[in-house]
């Protein structure tokens, strides 16, 4: 298996682990804690996320890119790692100090104190280094242990509504624990020790990270403002409904957006070598592959929502059905924005375009949320999110298409929308004839998946052919090796 494919698999495993925990625990927590307390917990996590996003000053993607640039030189790699990690620790100290001031005026001070572990974890986590090195295997193994411990802890410790503080503690502590577990793998690259670092270079890194800071702030606004405004204008229950809808929609999205994590270091490396032809090839294949997955996933998740939510979360969470249906287009939009923004614009250092697109999206989202959330609650929040993604998509692809001619690829990828329609018809047909049970959801997923696969095979889809050939070649190599 090639390194790119191997890292895609590792990242898929890691992202599945991140999603499996809430998938397994959501039905249990929905019934034990209820919408109000679950919404409060989601709100404080969102606020802590805002602090980490601002505090990191864009250092996450910047560090990944810088490691990808220098990974072929061991001396430069080691020096860059120490400088980047020192910069992250400086930012951590500043962020924690500001966070401590915020706790005094917070609506939920006890929960915010607990979340300080979550804030610290974001800065000490070394996974950015592994991503830049295109090596996620051992980091995934350590995170698996932490995620499994979190799930077990929830079922053991969270028994009644009074245990919601324990739930918040587990979320925060296990995030910190996972970050600590990922650190020892650094020893396989170089000896970890106290060493002098160049203050000048650290300042240079901080300056460079600011280029990626503004797009991340803008992204944070249009990804987090919904929940904050729902808490302010509606209720904590609305936050819980929207959060659950967002989590469910993002389950299938994991298989697509992980491509951005894997491909960005590879594109950065090819761009550094001035290999624009290979950059175009990578982008074209990524768009086609993402579209092949995104369109059926969008229709599928929207189609099964009415049968899924009653048995999965309970009748109290029926508003989540509408939220899922309105949010489902982000599966397609987010996958395309991930290609143009997180992959191409970051790798090619066009962060000014990234910043402009995300700020325009954030402004659009704030305006729409302000107008719609007070009256339409989570539906209004979902519409604002869709519009935000649409705005950033238009801006980014206008720039991308000027440099790299992939118009034909984008147009051809729309064929997957048409190929997904028979699957949607089957899922809706089953919804009208079966009760809302877990068996119904499984039957819908299997029937929809088989229908889509049959359509792809009958149409002799080119991407399916290419994937089959690669699998055959890989199996031959394994057999001969």
């Amino acid at each position: 298996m090639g390194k790119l494919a191997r890292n895609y698999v590792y990242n898929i495993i890691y992202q599945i682990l991140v999603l499996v925990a809430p998938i397994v625990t959501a039905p249990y927590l929905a019934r034990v804690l209820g919408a109000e307390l679950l919404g409060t917990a989601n709100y404080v996590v969102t606020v802590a996320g805002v602090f980490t996003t601002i505090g990191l000053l864009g250092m996450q993607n910047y560090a990944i890119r810088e490691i990808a640039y220098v990974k072929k030189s061991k001396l430069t790699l080691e020096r860059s790692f120490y400088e980047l990690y020192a910069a992250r620790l400086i930012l951590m100290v500043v962020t924690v100090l500001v966070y401590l001031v915020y706790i005094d005026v917070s609506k939920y001070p006890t929960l915010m104190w607990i979340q300080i572990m979550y804030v610290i974890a974001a800065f000490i986590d070394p996974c950015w280094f592994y991503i830049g090195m295109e090596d996620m295997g051992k980091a995934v193994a350590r995170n698996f242990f932490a995620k499994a411990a979190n799930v077990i802890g929830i079922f053991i410790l969270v028994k009644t509504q009074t245990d919601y503080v324990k739930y918040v503690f587990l979320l925060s502590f296990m995030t910190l624990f996972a970050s600590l577990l990922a650190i020892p793998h650094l020893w396989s690259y170089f000896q970890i020790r106290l060493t002098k670092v160049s203050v000048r270079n650290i300042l240079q890194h901080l300056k460079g990270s600011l280029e990626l800071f503004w797009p991340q702030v803008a992204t944070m606004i249009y990804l987090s403002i919904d929940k904050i405004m729902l808490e302010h204008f509606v209720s904590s229950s609305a936050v819980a409904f929207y959060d659950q809808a967002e989590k469910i929609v993002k389950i299938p999205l994991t298989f697509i957006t992980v491509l951005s994590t894997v491909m960005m270091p590879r594109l950065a490396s090819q761009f550094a070598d001035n290999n624009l032809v290979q950059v175009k090839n990578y982008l074209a294949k990524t768009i086609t592959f993402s579209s092949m997955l995104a369109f059926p996933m969008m229709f599928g998740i929207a189609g099964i929502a009415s049968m899924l939510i009653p048995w999965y979360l309970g009748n109290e969470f029926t508003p989540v059905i509408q939220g899922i249906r309105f949010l489902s287009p982000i599966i397609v939009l987010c996958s395309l924005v991930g290609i143009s923004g997180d992959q191409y614009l970051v790798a090619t250092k066009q962060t000014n375009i990234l910043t402009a697109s995300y700020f325009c999206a954030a402004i659009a989202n704030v305006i729409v949320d302000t107008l719609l959330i007070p009256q339409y609650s989570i539906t209004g929040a979902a519409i604002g999110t869709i519009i935000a993604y649409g705005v950033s998509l238009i801006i980014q692809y206008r720039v991308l298409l000027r440099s790299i001619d992939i118009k034909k690829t984008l147009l051809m990828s729309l064929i997957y929308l048409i190929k997904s329609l028979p699957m949607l018809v089957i899922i809706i047909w089953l919804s009208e004839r079966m009760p809302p049970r877990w068996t119904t959801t499984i039957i819908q997923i299997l029937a929809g998946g088989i229908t889509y696969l049959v359509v792809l095979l009958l149409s002799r889809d080119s991407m399916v052919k290419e994937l089959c050939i690669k699998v055959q070649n890989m199996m031959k190599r394994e057999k001969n090796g």
Side-chain angles (χ1 to χ4, degrees), residues 222-438:
Y222 76 76
L223 291 180
S224 303
I225 194 67
D226 312 74
K227 296 171 189 174
I228 294 173
M229 293 182 74
L230 283 168
E231 168 77 19
H232 179 73
F233 287 118
V234 189
S235 65
S236 293
S237 296
V239 177
F241 298 147
Y242 186 79
D243 182 71
Q244 292 300 325
E246 193 176 49
K247 284 178 179 176
I248 292 171
V249 168
K250 287 183 177 180
I251 291 170
L253 187 59
T254 299
F255 295 91
I256 306 168
T257 54
V258 73
L259 276 175
S260 296
T261 304
V262 174
M263 291 300 299
M264 195 273 275
R266 180 60 60 92
L267 286 173
S269 179
Q270 294 296 329
F271 179 73
D273 294 336
N274 200 32
N275 192 353
L276 297 182
V277 173
Q278 193 61 38
V279 169
K280 177 181 176 180
N281 290 336
Y282 280 136
L283 287 174
K285 288 184 179 181
T286 305
I287 288 171
T288 303
F289 181 71
S290 295
S291 299
M292 184 182 73
L293 296 179
F295 284 110
M297 288 177 174
M298 175 186 72
F299 287 133
I301 201 71
I304 69 172
S306 61
M307 296 292 102
L308 170 68
I309 298 305
W311 70 262
Y312 181 60
L313 296 177
N315 292 328
E316 184 186 4
F317 284 79
T318 51
V320 176
I321 298 172
Q322 191 77 345
I324 290 173
R325 288 172 174 169
F326 275 90
L327 279 174
S328 61
I330 72 170
I331 296 175
V332 175
L333 295 173
C334 190
S335 63
L336 291 174
V337 169
I339 294 167
S340 58
D342 296 337
Q343 290 183 38
Y344 177 73
L345 294 177
V346 171
T348 57
K349 297 186 176 182
Q350 299 187 67
T351 50
N352 58 327
I353 304 299
L354 199 65
T355 301
S357 68
Y358 286 159
F359 265 107
C360 289
I363 292 169
N365 195 26
V366 170
I367 293 172
V368 174
D369 282 353
T370 303
L371 294 174
L372 297 185
I373 283 179
Q375 185 173 357
Y376 298 104
S377 188
I378 66 171
T379 301
I383 293 172
T385 299
I386 296 300
I387 290 174
Y389 273 110
V391 169
S392 61
L393 180 76
I394 292 170
I395 295 172
Q396 290 179 21
Y397 274 87
R398 281 179 62 88
V399 174
L400 172 58
L401 292 174
R402 289 174 189 168
S403 304
I404 298 180
D405 186 12
I406 52 172
K407 296 185 185 72
K408 184 178 179 181
T409 301
L410 285 169
L411 290 173
M412 290 298 293
S413 67
L414 293 175
I415 192 66
Y416 292 109
L417 185 151
I418 299 172
K419 291 180 179 181
S420 302
L421 292 176
M423 180 200 72
L424 178 62
V425 172
I426 292 294
I427 291 174
I428 293 175
W429 184 82
L430 290 170
S431 294
E432 294 173 348
R433 286 160 176 78
M434 301 181 75
R437 297 174 182 168
W438 66 270

Side-chain angles (χ1 to χ4, degrees), residues 40-82:
T40 299
N42 293 332
Y43 171 75
V44 297
V45 171
T46 299
V47 172
V50 170
F51 271 91
T52 59
T53 300
I54 294 176
L56 279 167
L57 292 181
M59 184 60 71
Q60 192 72 5
N61 281 338
Y62 172 82
I64 293 171
R65 188 183 70 188
E66 293 304 302
I67 292 299
Y69 285 153
V70 302
K71 64 183 179 182
K72 295 178 181 178
S73 171
K74 186 174 182 179
L75 291 176
T76 307
L77 175 67
E78 184 172 1
R79 186 181 70 248
S80 296
F81 167 77
Y82 281 120

